[in-house]
Amino acid sequence: MSIYYILQDQRKCIGCLSCEVHCKSNKGLPLGPRLGQIIPVGPKMVADLPKQAFVFMPCFHCEEPWCVPACPTGAMRQRPRDGIVYVDHTLCVGCKSCITACPWGAPQWNPETGKAVKCDYCMDRIDKGLKPACVTKCVTHCLLFGKADKLDQSRRQQFAKNVAFELDQVVSAR
Amino acid sequence: MPQEVFSICFMCTVRCPIRVEVENDEVTWIEGNPYVPGIEGAICAKGSAGLALLNDSERPQYPMIRTGPRGAGQWRRASWEEALDYVADRLKAIVGEFGGQSVVFGERTNLNTHISKTFVKALGSPNHFTHDALCKGSLNTAFRTLTGFTDAQVGVDYANSRHVVFYGRNLFESLEIKAINNLFKALDKGAKLTYIDPRVTITATKANRYWMIRPGTDLALNYALIHTILKEGLEDEEYVRRWVKGLEQLRTFVEPYTPEWAAQECGILAEDIVALAREVAADKPHVVFHYGYRSSHHPNEIYLRRSLIILNALMGAIETPGGLFFKKGLKAAGRGDIGKYVSQEFPKISAPRFDGSGSTQFPIADSSHGNPQMLAHAILKEDPYPIKALIVNRFEPLQSLPDSATVREALDKLDLIVDIDVNYSEIGWYADVLLPESTYLERGDSIQAISGLKPQLFIRKPAVSPRYDTKPAWWIIKELANRLDLGQYLPYATLEDIWNFQLKDTGAKLEDFDEKGFVVLSDKALWWDRDKDIQFKTPSGKIELASTLMENAGFPSFTPYVPVPPPPEGHFRLTVGRCAAHTHVSTQNNLYLSELVPENELWINTAPAARLGIQDGALVEVVSPIRTVRLKAKVTDWIHPEAVFMLHGFGKTVPVQTRCYQKGASDALLQENVSDHAGGSPALDETLVTVRAI
């Protein structure tokens, strides 16, 4: 697993799909590939109220990725220093093995280049001390990017804040 | 290192402040202005998709003059010189023969409206209109009848609210980023959100209370809420005594409108209505009955909007933290006002407006915006006089005006149609001359003065040079004015001339924008003292429940509720709205946005759909009394069985917009042209339709 993680505050996500366009416009992608996707679930009645979830699914940057060993050319690789899984486009031959291998459908097909393309946490931005495009420009700031071990703390703090003010709201927001 | 340009987004009319990164005259990054509270880098899908607009080859790239029949797509390329001469020559001939009033100019309100209004007045025409009435004319009038201020002069202090009640105000899909983040701040602190709508929108799914109200009956609910508040003494007594005129008339009026009565009409339990009144009152005055944004649904719209504002008045929530506030302008911040060319003297214009705005048709509507739903009637009937030329900028008569097929017919009667546009719009494709406007990333515009609790100035600066042979509208209008010997009314040559003229009395300098892209003119929030110093602009200086403005014009302040019968079997009330991915009619062809939402669907409730044999995803025919359209059905439990719903702005007919061409259907073809003549808005949700499986 990469040392980074994107945590989504489901309560604040309004399913506006902006993160998808932030990603695509930053990477200059054509029609087709959607690297970080919002998957809407619901609405469904929860405690007499219609609730809908919008699950953000970028690449999980697995500790033991399915896609890396499946790649015959070594284009799909993991950065040793932080575990980010990315495609070296100079080596990709467009065989789509990674697309087949990934259980979550993270690698996408770029019809313009004839190669695979996937979420790399915008590692060029990370290397400049910035955050991924999706996180930087999220409308409600519901996406949090950081080191996986630190994000745990921010969630606890958020939970504590909620409990401090209104317990029933925490329950209904689940 | 990329160059940093602060500017203002224009993918929609909210106009969020942005920070743009540029390398070698290419935009590489657009984000929300990180220095603006409530924005902090945030931008929506449309904002990021500005890059796709900038680089799109499917937008007008040079001036075009029509060579075939209107709408046939036969054009020749023209130079700016030739196209502007062509337009000016024809305008000159038309004004010479039929008078200045025969020219109508329509636009969506924008930063250069003071320039286009100046041009039209100089031309001797009273006929400048904006899109406003089609969206919220009745809200504008409602606010003026009660407070003397327009809706545009009122804001909501979401961040400090304890309870916000939305009536179809789908904030989380219409996306005002600052407002959304301020509302979340309040929800974080335990504020409640009540959402009332015949349709489960995304906003509904974030609420603490949701009511699927019978479509068209919100007014009945409000009368019952007012009834309950006054009966139980839940109002803010001191505030009401000090600021409200006509309470006893209101009390008598709402007497018969009990929660039990409203329960029947709205399909909401009487005890729930009472509970809401009590719950909101417990948090008064830091509460908001949101008065709405689009306010063009029914012919009695003004009464619904007034009832919402009255609920705020009863809660003492007007000019109150956590409630509504009046926006303070530059003068309140001790500055001189921003310069506007339209403030100068013009030769007297004696002709009345073409649309009867502020007179015959809509006596108390805001005639500074006009009532464009009268356009087809005025052209076809030559009532009150012949109209010969239409110039539009960023306005889409063929998708925004109800009964758009009749509008198209009326356009055929015109001698000249000119469109100044960033897109190949429906009207652009039907025009005689298409003058391509540079996108907001390629141009600067007049400075934006934002009134509010802390008045501020923002600036749109060009981030890159134009990709094609396009020009800013302020330049186009000035060039036309020069050719009509009216250039002296617009005494500028460059963008900097406009900016310096505007800033002259404000005490702000152009360099003040350099660091963060905006200038804050007051350190502290400017509130009037709600105990003794709210400066209502009504004749009585109070909130006029009994309205001088209405009654002088012959409209009653209160009017009995007219029941809304369920639609006949097989009929549905057509409701329309928007989604987070698109701006009304203007973004359907955007590379990234068309991918997110490529077409609209007809939401129809599962039970009637089953009776009609309509399958989810199947093509259906929607028939209104005036037109028939086809689109896919979305069969769902999440809409009231009496209503169907479709997104606005689809069903495009311009072939060069390949991504959205003939995708989905246009609501404007179905909507009958009926209006609220007191408030000024068309009644866009008044049409009943039938739906057939194909």
Side-chain angles (χ1 to χ4, degrees), chain B residues 15 108 122 165 268 289 295 314-315 335 392 482 519 537 593 609:
Chain B
R15 300 180 289 202
R108 266 172 196 274
V165 186
I268 299 166
F289 282 93
S295 306
L314 295 178
M315 294 293 103
R335 307 294 186 112
V392 294
N482 284 346
V519 182
K537 287 205 299 191
L593 303 176

Side-chain angles (χ1 to χ4, degrees), chain B residues 132-198:
Chain B
D132 275 43
L134 303 176
C135 175
K136 58 194 186 73
S138 294
L139 179 62
N140 173 321
T141 310
F143 260 114
R144 282 183 294 114
T145 65
L146 285 157
T147 68
F149 292 94
T150 69
D151 61 303
Q153 294 168 304
V154 177
V156 176
D157 182 23
Y158 285 108
N160 297 303
S161 189
R162 304 287 307 146
H163 197 142
V164 176
V165 186
F166 282 143
Y167 293 66
R169 174 71 185 125
N170 185 9
L171 185 70
F172 294 150
E173 288 184 86
S174 49
L175 291 191
E176 261 183 277
I177 296 179
K178 254 182 161 177
I180 289 171
N181 285 317
N182 284 328
L183 177 57
F184 270 123
K185 262 182 217 162
L187 297 176
D188 275 350
K189 291 187 284 183
K192 295 198 177 65
L193 178 63
T194 292
Y195 187 79
I196 301 160
D197 193 325

Side-chain angles (χ1 to χ4, degrees), chain B residues 572 599-606 608-610 612-622 629-636 639 644-646 664-665 691-694:
Chain B
F572 303 88
E599 63 189 311
N600 58 353
E601 302 167 311
L602 188 80
W603 290 46
I604 181 166
N605 183 277
T606 313
L612 294 165
I614 291 167
Q615 305 285 322
D616 185 43
L619 204 62
V620 292
E621 199 159 66
V622 186
V629 302
R630 288 178 172 200
L631 73 168
K632 283 182 194 155
K634 175 188 165 96
V635 177
T636 170
I639 186 167
V644 290
F645 169 87
M646 62 198 277
V691 185
R692 290 200 284 264
I694 296 172

Side-chain angles (χ1 to χ4, degrees), chain B residues 38-86:
Chain B
I39 298 282
E40 286 124 2
I43 195 169
C44 72
K46 293 165 280 186
S48 264
L51 254 173
L53 170 68
L54 174 69
N55 297 317
D56 198 354
S57 59
E58 294 192 2
R59 64 176 170 108
Q61 301 178 10
Y62 41 76
M64 293 156 67
I65 297 176
R66 177 170 68 83
T67 56
R70 281 202 177 125
Q74 292 158 23
W75 302 96
R76 67 183 167 87
R77 181 177 182 157
S79 68
W80 277 100
E81 200 67 19
E82 186 195 0
L84 291 164
D85 285 348
Y86 182 101

Side-chain angles (χ1 to χ4, degrees), chain B residues 229-230 233-244 247 281 284-286 311-318 320 530-531:
Chain B
I229 288 165
L230 293 179
L234 299 173
E235 72 272 21
D236 184 331
E237 225 176 306
E238 210 162 309
Y239 182 96
V240 168
R241 194 178 314 122
R242 175 70 186 84
W243 294 117
V244 168
L247 185 72
K284 72 174 181 289
H286 312 293
L311 281 164
N312 288 291
L314 295 178
M315 294 293 103
I318 300 181
T320 299
R530 79 186 273 279
D531 294 330

Side-chain angles (χ1 to χ4, degrees), chain B residues 69-142:
Chain B
R70 281 202 177 125
Q74 292 158 23
W75 302 96
R76 67 183 167 87
R77 181 177 182 157
S79 68
W80 277 100
E81 200 67 19
E82 186 195 0
L84 291 164
D85 285 348
Y86 182 101
V87 174
D89 288 350
R90 274 153 190 79
L91 280 177
K92 225 178 233 175
I94 288 168
V95 171
E97 193 176 344
F98 299 96
Q101 72 276 8
S102 63
V103 181
V104 176
F105 191 113
E107 69 183 8
R108 266 172 196 274
T109 312
N110 63 77
L111 296 174
N112 300 315
T113 294
H114 70 116
I115 289 174
S116 54
K117 280 192 170 179
T118 300
F119 173 71
V120 178
K121 279 178 194 258
L123 203 59
S125 172
N127 294 326
H128 180 285
F129 71 81
T130 77
H131 176 85
D132 275 43
L134 303 176
C135 175
K136 58 194 186 73
S138 294
L139 179 62
N140 173 321
T141 310

Side-chain angles (χ1 to χ4, degrees), chain A residues 11 13 18 22 24 32 137, chain B residues 30 43 45 48 188 206 595:
Chain A
R11 204 177 43 92
C13 180
S18 303
H22 300 335
K24 290 196 70 157
K137 305 201 274 180
Chain B
I30 306 172
I43 195 169
S48 264
D188 275 350
K206 297 289 178 188
E595 184 174 26

